[in-house]
Amino acid sequence: MRTVTGSGAVKAYRCPGCDQVIGAGTAHVVVWPAAERGGVGERRHWHSGCWRREADRRAR
Ligand SMILES: [Zn+2]
């Protein structure tokens, strides 16, 4: 699992955490699974706050 903090989205994405749109220019986090089985993981764009909650949930 890797994350990158985006300084600003260049287009709108939908956050899978809250199902709300991350508007262009909104700082957010890009998350994708560690490369396994040679595949490029599917990137997901999350609000920083939503991802923090999700990461905490997954850690349990
Ligand atoms: Zn969100």
Side-chain angles (χ1 to χ4, degrees), residues 14-52:
R14 186 170 294 275
C15 170
C18 62
D19 204 34
Q20 301 295 307
V21 170
I22 302 170
T26 303
H28 67 287
V29 183
V30 184
V31 181
W32 65 96
E36 289 175 5
R37 301 183 217 110
V40 176
E42 189 180 350
R43 296 190 187 191
R44 300 229 179 262
H45 298 255
W46 295 72
H47 293 113
S48 304
C50 293
W51 173 246
R52 209 171 303 124

